[in-house]
Amino acid sequence: MAKTNILIDDDEQDIRESLRDILEDEGHKIFLAENAENAKIKLSHFKFDLIVLDVMMPGQNGYDLTKDIKKNIANTALFEEVSSKTNLIHTDQDDDFVDFNIQITIPHKFSQFGPSIAVGDLNGDKLEDVLIGGSKGKSEVLFYQKPDGTFYKENTNLKRQKNITVNTVKSPMQLGQESMQPQ
């Protein structure tokens, strides 16, 4: 996997260094800037896959720097549409439903939050797959990632399955405890 170039621009050294340590451990190439001027210099010399900006910085703030990046730095996309390239296309439409008619003590209408999304290796191939939860009366959708980075879609209905098997990995402590049990 190619390293992702990430620029972290924050006036607080502890935050910059903490983010750097976490992201470097994940295999990313990190560049640090402590203000907007320093970030602009780095932006003129390197291409970044991700830019993390502090909003409240002395001098030029993160909002204004974002405007400058969009205006002045050629070919820098803050976000890129990739759903058609990866075949990760999904639309969801919730039915109008008043949760309070069933349970009056809930703090807000959960039915208006849309479907939940989870990412993980669902089929054991060491690639990140996507599970999109189904709204009330709708099926879940699984997107399995292929080695080329694209996805294939599988509709499923986990709500109707009575027995769902979850594979778990036992820790060395659990394995040791099992071997100590009397036979």
Side-chain angles (χ1 to χ4, degrees), residues 62-84:
Y63 290 122
D64 293 336
L65 179 56
T66 300
K67 290 177 190 173
D68 284 353
I69 291 170
K70 288 169 66 175
K71 244 189 311 188
N72 301 324
I73 300 176
N75 300 321
T76 300
L78 295 181
F79 292 98
E80 180 183 355
E81 171 60 49
V82 296
S83 59
S84 35

Side-chain angles (χ1 to χ4, degrees), residues 12-111:
E12 294 186 44
Q13 182 177 357
D14 291 345
I15 292 174
R16 281 193 315 268
E17 292 175 355
S18 295
L19 286 171
R20 179 201 60 210
D21 293 346
I22 292 166
L23 294 168
E24 279 182 343
D25 286 347
E26 293 294 323
H28 304 289
K29 175 93 171 122
I30 307 302
F31 296 79
L32 301 176
E34 63 278 351
N35 57 45
E37 291 307 313
N38 192 277
K40 288 178 186 178
I41 292 168
K42 290 190 180 354
L43 285 162
S44 68
H45 290 88
F46 302 99
K47 180 176 180 349
F48 294 99
D49 302 297
L50 176 66
I51 302 168
V52 179
L53 299 174
D54 182 8
V55 175
M56 302 301 290
M57 291 189 292
Q60 187 177 26
N61 65 43
Y63 290 122
D64 293 336
L65 179 56
T66 300
K67 290 177 190 173
D68 284 353
I69 291 170
K70 288 169 66 175
K71 244 189 311 188
N72 301 324
I73 300 176
N75 300 321
T76 300
L78 295 181
F79 292 98
E80 180 183 355
E81 171 60 49
V82 296
S83 59
S84 35
K85 282 191 238 176
T86 60
N87 199 29
L88 191 58
I89 300 169
H90 177 76
T91 56
D92 186 77
Q93 184 171 351
D94 288 331
D95 296 331
D96 190 23
F97 177 75
V98 182
D99 304 45
F100 301 117
N101 290 343
I102 295 173
Q103 187 177 2
I104 61 172
T105 60
I106 57 176
H108 41 72
K109 287 177 64 176
F110 291 106
S111 62

